[in-house]
Amino acid sequence: MMEQQWVLLSDVRVPFDADDNVIWEKATEKMKRAGISAPPLLFRLYKKSFDARKRPDITAVCSVLIAYAPSVKLTERALGAAGAKVYRDPPICPERGNEPLGHRPLVVGMGPAGMFCALLLAENGYAPILIDRGDPIEGRVRAVEQFYATGVLDARSNIQFGAGGAGTFSDGKLITRVGDEKCGYVLRRFAEFGAPAEITTQARPHIGTDILRDVVDRILTYIEQCGGELHYRTCLQEIRELPDGTVNAVTDRGEIPCGCVVLAPGHSARDTYAMLMAKGYAVEPKPFSVGVRVEHLQSDIDRILYGDLAGHPKLPKGEYSQSDTRGERGVYTFCMCPGGEVMAAASEEGGVVVNGMSRHARDGVNANSAVAVSVFREDYGNTPMGVIEYQIALERAAFRMGGGDYTAPAQTMGDFLAGKQGTEPTRVQPSYRGGRVKLCDLGEVLPDYVTESLRRGFLSFDRRMPGYAAADTMLTGVETRTSAPVRLLRGESMTALGHDRIYPCGEGAGYAGGITSAAVDGIRAALALMKRFAPPKQ
Ligand SMILES: Cc1cc2nc3c(=O)[nH]c(=O)nc-3n(C[C@H](O)[C@H](O)[C@H](O)COP(=O)(O)OP(=O)(O)OC[C@H]3O[C@@H](n4cnc5c(N)ncnc54)[C@H](O)[C@@H]3O)c2cc1C
């Protein structure tokens, strides 16, 4: 087969409802204007986003992959003039080391970091053992549904813990700011296991919790088929590094002898953090933020963003991202879930935590988003335990304020801005646990500096998105798990400082913030491990 040369052309602008042919024509024209007039062999849409700033002229902004015959001369100058570059999508080619592992590698955590690490290890003959404190998908869904219906929390298996990790009950947004070529690999693998193929071309890809659950199930089954071993309801409690270099992982289901440990426990494994700190692992507090979930009607957000074109079938559900950095503390929106619902994301008894999720169709009535405020080191005494205790104190305050049965404290935007409470929700009905919220003053749950910063942020967002701070907008608290509060320090070899067979990775270790970046970090850990060790003998 004739090899082609691929070029990635950015900033191809067409009307939002244009067909693919219009995009190809526009791309060809752009290349011609830069002096590359050879006929393209193939086109592929790489990314597509929408620019609605000059409404009603909404534009689709596309990046396009174009294939040319090998004989076509593509000079850097001409490519630069077109806004294009040569495109190579390097496959992931693991190197293999010689050092004996002794036993099979153990991966702790079946979130995106642990799952993608184990996927690579399994496909390359390293037969990983994978453990998670939570349940497989089916049991986990049951535990979450029971919590929703009855308020009985399973602290082992919930929104944070179990197959697929924290993102399983999420919007499954795969956007990341990590500029790593492995991001494309992660998207392709998700698509291979059943995520919609469009995630590989959308600028803001998302899977949706309904599809993501099956995708996770397929990835984990495939890991087993490739020689991996999965253990659920198995919690790592201690790590014993042995004189022969191997490791004994102590779990609540017995000891697991292993050649090394990949630690991918996510940001809610507070007991695991405590165990590592007690063992003297180098852990430092990390910048993080806290706030509330904000809910609007999705139709209002669409109208704010698209004007009269709101609801057009060729436009995606309106999504926004806002920030206000004028004050001492930054306020920003985070994890916006169009057509989604607010999730009860507690993983410990006696704490209320909120987050957000959507189905693939994003067809819920409400749009939700976290609005979070930066927390400074001095707010919690600048220690790793201090920052975790800070989160716990807020979650417990929210639990008490809600009445002690995982009802969440909530307030209308109008009341929050006016410093009063008690106005009942009207147009926007809160979606947390089907509306199990208690009206209160969120200012009594959150520190004053968070409340004041949120007020400033809401008013500033309202200036850019008129209607954002409408009185009937709903706020539900508290959002405390926006990212890991600590970082487990690791060296260049990706092992924990002073522990050369322990590989901390993913969000919990403080090296990722989201599904894609956690998966990428898990891949990095797998590559580092394989580069050093030979596959275990079986
Ligand atoms: C409701 C919700 C919605 C979200 N939405 C999005 C989104 O749309 N897009 C996005 O990019 N991110 C989203 N996130 C964040 C995202 O889920 C995380 O960034 C990502 O899952 C982190 O991956 P991870 O593998 O590092 O850790 P996790 O996914 O947290 O996985 C860690 C796993 O380790 C297990 N574990 C912990 N301790 C132990 C132990 N001691 N022994 C055994 N197992 C253990 C846990 O049970 C868990 O399954 C969301 C999070 C939540 C909670």
Side-chain angles (χ1 to χ4, degrees):
M1 205 175 72
M2 184 174 65
E3 283 287 315
Q4 296 140 358
Q5 335 180 52
W6 284 95
V7 160
L8 178 59
L9 174 67
S10 312
D11 205 35
V12 180
R13 290 173 175 260
V14 294
F16 73 93
D17 53 353
D19 292 335
D20 284 355
N21 282 340
V22 179
I23 304 174
W24 309 154
E25 274 165 28
K26 230 358 204 279
T28 311
E29 251 173 52
K30 217 176 160 196
M31 295 300 282
K32 272 191 187 155
R33 274 204 305 274
I36 302 171
S37 49
L41 301 176
L42 285 171
F43 292 98
R44 218 191 297 149
L45 186 61
Y46 184 72
K47 295 279 169 206
K48 187 181 201 179
S49 60
F50 294 89
D51 183 350
R53 284 172 300 179
K54 294 191 184 137
R55 281 193 328 258
D57 296 326
I58 300 179
T59 309
V61 185
C62 309
S63 319
V64 179
L65 283 171
I66 310 175
Y68 289 100
S71 53
V72 175
K73 201 157 182 243
L74 298 168
T75 63
E76 253 182 55
R77 194 147 165 238
L79 289 175
K85 59 183 182 187
V86 171
Y87 177 80
R88 287 185 198 91
D89 195 4
I92 300 228
C93 302
E95 291 173 52
R96 284 190 187 179
N98 300 319
E99 197 175 326
L101 253 173
H103 298 285
R104 298 163 74 174
L106 173 72
V107 179
V108 179
M110 297 190 201
M115 217 165 48
F116 271 81
C117 176
L119 177 62
L120 237 70
L121 292 177
E123 284 182 322
N124 285 283
Y126 285 75
I129 301 168
L130 189 51
I131 63 169
D132 199 287
R133 68 171 83 207
D135 280 320
I137 292 288
E138 217 182 299
R140 198 175 167 200
V141 170
R142 264 198 312 275
V144 168
E145 283 174 358
Q146 166 180 292
F147 178 46
Y148 262 59
T150 64
V152 177
L153 174 73
D154 182 341
R156 289 295 288 268
S157 200
N158 46 56
I159 293 281
Q160 307 286 352
F161 297 150
T168 304
F169 295 85
S170 82
D171 182 41
K173 269 181 290 298
L174 303 175
I175 315 151
T176 175
R177 285 193 216 111
V178 177
D180 190 311
E181 67 203 19
K182 295 177 200 70
C183 295
Y185 173 84
V186 170
L187 297 183
R188 284 196 302 281
R189 300 280 349 224
F190 271 129
E192 188 188 316
F193 286 101
E198 72 216 23
I199 61 167
T200 59
T201 57
Q202 286 166 330
R204 304 180 68 78
H206 96 112
I207 300 183
T209 182
D210 42 347
I211 297 182
L212 187 55
R213 293 173 199 179
D214 291 338
V215 171
V216 164
D217 221 18
R218 284 190 207 110
I219 297 179
L220 292 171
T221 306
Y222 176 69
I223 291 172
E224 265 186 313
Q225 287 164 353
C226 294
E229 196 179 298
L230 311 187
H231 298 275
Y232 294 97
R233 289 226 165 231
T234 305
C235 186
L236 177 77
Q237 293 182 322
E238 204 199 320
I239 300 173
R240 294 192 189 136
E241 287 158 279
L242 304 180
D244 68 357
T246 65
V247 183
N248 253 1
V250 182
T251 77
D252 53 356
R253 294 221 160 164
E255 292 190 15
I256 305 177
C258 45
C260 63
V261 178
V262 176
L263 271 180
H267 61 26
S268 293
R270 290 169 177 162
D271 52 347
T272 310
Y273 283 148
M275 176 271 286
L276 295 169
M277 285 185 237
K279 282 251 165 195
Y281 279 71
V283 180
E284 64 175 26
K286 211 177 120 281
F288 91 122
S289 12
V290 297
V292 295
R293 273 276 147 180
V294 176
E295 279 186 282
H296 299 91
L297 293 182
Q298 181 63 49
S299 52
D300 287 349
I301 294 295
D302 290 346
R303 185 148 290 279
I304 293 173
L305 297 176
Y306 299 140
D308 290 344
L309 286 168
H312 191 289
K314 286 252 180 179
L315 285 172
K317 301 278 179 198
E319 253 181 286
Y320 63 84
S321 153
Q322 290 288 345
S323 63
D324 180 88
T325 50
R326 289 166 311 150
E328 191 194 1
R329 290 169 193 268
V331 188
Y332 61 96
T333 65
F334 175 73
C335 185
M336 199 245 152
C337 299
E341 65 185 272
V342 176
M343 300 302 292
S347 57
E348 281 168 17
E349 306 261 345
V352 161
V353 186
V354 292
N355 211 306
M357 80 168 190
S358 317
R359 287 173 297 279
H360 181 68
R362 288 180 161 172
D363 54 2
V365 177
N366 287 359
N368 73 70
S369 164
V371 179
V373 174
S374 312
V375 171
F376 297 150
R377 289 170 191 269
E378 53 269 30
D379 299 325
Y380 53 78
N382 199 15
T383 65
M385 262 339 277
V387 64
I388 294 170
E389 279 159 10
Y390 179 98
Q391 284 179 308
I392 294 174
L394 284 182
E395 292 168 12
R396 291 197 176 151
F399 182 77
R400 283 192 302 276
M401 187 62 89
D405 59 357
Y406 299 98
T407 295
Q411 195 173 12
T412 61
M413 178 73 85
D415 277 6
F416 184 77
L417 292 175
K420 60 189 182 86
Q421 58 180 303
T423 304
E424 292 288 336
T426 50
R427 291 170 73 238
V428 185
Q429 289 297 317
S431 59
Y432 173 96
R433 288 187 61 212
R436 290 183 180 88
V437 299
K438 187 170 166 200
L439 295 174
C440 69
D441 178 3
L442 284 167
E444 286 178 27
V445 180
L446 297 162
D448 289 347
Y449 51 79
V450 173
T451 309
E452 281 153 25
S453 306
L454 284 175
R455 284 196 183 114
R456 168 172 52 81
F458 291 147
L459 294 174
S460 144
F461 303 164
D462 191 71
R463 281 193 288 278
R464 277 169 265 160
M465 292 179 60
Y468 188 92
D472 56 9
T473 302
M474 280 310 298
L475 315 179
T476 308
V478 287
E479 182 98 23
T480 47
R481 314 250 184 119
T482 49
S483 66
V486 297
R487 175 169 290 132
L488 282 166
L489 300 187
R490 65 188 187 195
E492 274 183 20
S493 59
M494 290 220 34
T495 54
L497 296 186
H499 303 269
D500 90 324
R501 289 216 181 195
I502 312 299
Y503 291 79
C505 70
E507 170 131 29
Y511 296 94
I515 296 171
T516 304
S517 60
V520 164
D521 203 49
I523 293 169
R524 283 194 203 116
L527 292 175
L529 191 162
M530 290 190 281
K531 190 171 176 186
R532 174 173 163 198
F533 294 106
K537 295 196 178 74
Q538 290 178 61

